Amino acid sequence: MKHEPMVLVVEDESAVAELIAVNLRHNGFRVTWAIDSDSAQRELDAVLPAVILLDWMLPGDSGLALARRWRHHPRTRATPIIMLTARGDLADRVAGLDAGADDYIAKPFSTRELLARVRAVLRRRLPEQAAESVVLGPLQLDAATYRVTFDNQIIKLGPTEFKLLSYLMHHAERVHSRSSLLDKVWGDHVFIEERTVDVHVKRLREALGPDAGQMIETVRGAGYRLSDHRV
Ligand code: CA
């Protein structure tokens, strides 16, 4: 029983929470349920779950605010968050992912889709967590401390840019298409446009500054490649 992954469900509608909990339990997960941000925080302080399913519309702090807070907190920054929402607007979806959510499920959803997405974030997260730090020339990324340095200078990155850089560093010297980056960094977001990748690459380059930024190469018609030009 100990090895069953724990899922924290943060959802104020008990019927929805019950449906999710029953299905997850039938499929080998343990489930705790919190109905608002305060009780969710208490659950998190007690036991760190493998995945958080987070409703957008909650009494008190919104799911969006919680995602942002948890993504920046050392204890929860590596915990996958899947947002649940009735909102279908592209801008809202992007806002959720920008806040640090790993994936997004629009209500009403099928339980099969829910299970597939929970399993997908678990699969994607585990290898990244295992690799504590990665170095590419003067660029260094430490997942444990969430720190990026270039020539020993600290570089501040948002959660999406951090994930993007982490992926590129773990798979350096290769060209990645926009759709492959969407799949690997953002998850199975068929509804996210490929130019979202360009926006985040631009932000990442700006955050890295001119020297480190030029390590990310735009490969015309193909995608992006991170390489150490100093070699
Ligand atoms: Ca709700």
Side-chain angles (χ1 to χ4, degrees), residues 11-13 55 57-58 107:
E11 167 64 80
D12 57 317
E13 289 166 75
D55 187 28
M57 298 294 283
L58 291 167
K107 293 177 183 174

PDB file of all heavy atoms in Angstrom, residues 11-13 55 57-58 107, ligand 1:
ATOM      1  N   GLU A  11     -10.712  20.583  -4.609  1.00  0.00           N
ATOM      2  CA  GLU A  11     -11.958  20.766  -5.370  1.00  0.00           C
ATOM      3  C   GLU A  11     -13.082  21.044  -4.380  1.00  0.00           C
ATOM      4  O   GLU A  11     -13.277  20.285  -3.437  1.00  0.00           O
ATOM      5  CB  GLU A  11     -12.218  19.480  -6.185  1.00  0.00           C
ATOM      6  CG  GLU A  11     -13.592  19.343  -6.796  1.00  0.00           C
ATOM      7  CD  GLU A  11     -13.881  20.408  -7.825  1.00  0.00           C
ATOM      8  OE1 GLU A  11     -13.421  20.264  -8.979  1.00  0.00           O
ATOM      9  OE2 GLU A  11     -14.577  21.389  -7.471  1.00  0.00           O
ATOM     10  N   ASP A  12     -13.810  22.140  -4.588  1.00  0.00           N
ATOM     11  CA  ASP A  12     -14.875  22.477  -3.640  1.00  0.00           C
ATOM     12  C   ASP A  12     -16.198  21.788  -3.951  1.00  0.00           C
ATOM     13  O   ASP A  12     -17.087  21.753  -3.101  1.00  0.00           O
ATOM     14  CB  ASP A  12     -15.076  24.004  -3.574  1.00  0.00           C
ATOM     15  CG  ASP A  12     -15.388  24.603  -4.926  1.00  0.00           C
ATOM     16  OD1 ASP A  12     -14.728  24.215  -5.916  1.00  0.00           O
ATOM     17  OD2 ASP A  12     -16.289  25.447  -5.010  1.00  0.00           O
ATOM     18  N   GLU A  13     -16.337  21.228  -5.167  1.00  0.00           N
ATOM     19  CA  GLU A  13     -17.586  20.519  -5.483  1.00  0.00           C
ATOM     20  C   GLU A  13     -17.415  19.056  -5.086  1.00  0.00           C
ATOM     21  O   GLU A  13     -16.639  18.323  -5.703  1.00  0.00           O
ATOM     22  CB  GLU A  13     -17.881  20.617  -6.978  1.00  0.00           C
ATOM     23  CG  GLU A  13     -18.300  22.008  -7.412  1.00  0.00           C
ATOM     24  CD  GLU A  13     -18.255  22.142  -8.931  1.00  0.00           C
ATOM     25  OE1 GLU A  13     -19.162  21.603  -9.580  1.00  0.00           O
ATOM     26  OE2 GLU A  13     -17.297  22.743  -9.435  1.00  0.00           O
ATOM     27  N   ASP A  55      -8.495  22.495  -8.723  1.00  0.00           N
ATOM     28  CA  ASP A  55      -9.605  23.210  -9.351  1.00  0.00           C
ATOM     29  C   ASP A  55      -9.257  24.701  -9.458  1.00  0.00           C
ATOM     30  O   ASP A  55      -8.620  25.262  -8.573  1.00  0.00           O
ATOM     31  CB  ASP A  55     -10.867  23.026  -8.498  1.00  0.00           C
ATOM     32  CG  ASP A  55     -12.101  23.589  -9.171  1.00  0.00           C
ATOM     33  OD1 ASP A  55     -12.145  23.630 -10.415  1.00  0.00           O
ATOM     34  OD2 ASP A  55     -13.030  23.998  -8.451  1.00  0.00           O
ATOM     35  N   MET A  57     -11.542  27.342  -9.840  1.00  0.00           N
ATOM     36  CA  MET A  57     -12.462  28.189  -9.079  1.00  0.00           C
ATOM     37  C   MET A  57     -12.674  27.584  -7.694  1.00  0.00           C
ATOM     38  O   MET A  57     -13.378  26.593  -7.539  1.00  0.00           O
ATOM     39  CB  MET A  57     -13.809  28.292  -9.800  1.00  0.00           C
ATOM     40  CG  MET A  57     -13.714  28.932 -11.187  1.00  0.00           C
ATOM     41  SD  MET A  57     -13.222  30.664 -11.124  1.00  0.00           S
ATOM     42  CE  MET A  57     -14.777  31.419 -10.627  1.00  0.00           C
ATOM     43  N   LEU A  58     -12.066  28.205  -6.692  1.00  0.00           N
ATOM     44  CA  LEU A  58     -12.166  27.727  -5.317  1.00  0.00           C
ATOM     45  C   LEU A  58     -12.576  28.885  -4.419  1.00  0.00           C
ATOM     46  O   LEU A  58     -12.283  30.039  -4.731  1.00  0.00           O
ATOM     47  CB  LEU A  58     -10.798  27.225  -4.830  1.00  0.00           C
ATOM     48  CG  LEU A  58     -10.232  25.953  -5.444  1.00  0.00           C
ATOM     49  CD1 LEU A  58      -8.769  25.817  -5.079  1.00  0.00           C
ATOM     50  CD2 LEU A  58     -11.017  24.738  -4.968  1.00  0.00           C
ATOM     51  N   LYS A 107     -13.308  20.798 -17.662  1.00  0.00           N
ATOM     52  CA  LYS A 107     -14.538  20.103 -17.248  1.00  0.00           C
ATOM     53  C   LYS A 107     -15.600  20.319 -18.321  1.00  0.00           C
ATOM     54  O   LYS A 107     -15.677  21.417 -18.867  1.00  0.00           O
ATOM     55  CB  LYS A 107     -15.056  20.671 -15.931  1.00  0.00           C
ATOM     56  CG  LYS A 107     -14.176  20.420 -14.738  1.00  0.00           C
ATOM     57  CD  LYS A 107     -14.818  21.120 -13.539  1.00  0.00           C
ATOM     58  CE  LYS A 107     -13.970  20.982 -12.305  1.00  0.00           C
ATOM     59  NZ  LYS A 107     -14.520  21.789 -11.189  1.00  0.00           N
TER      60      LYS A 107
HETATM   61 CA    CA B   1     -14.848  24.897  -8.090  1.00  0.00          CA
END
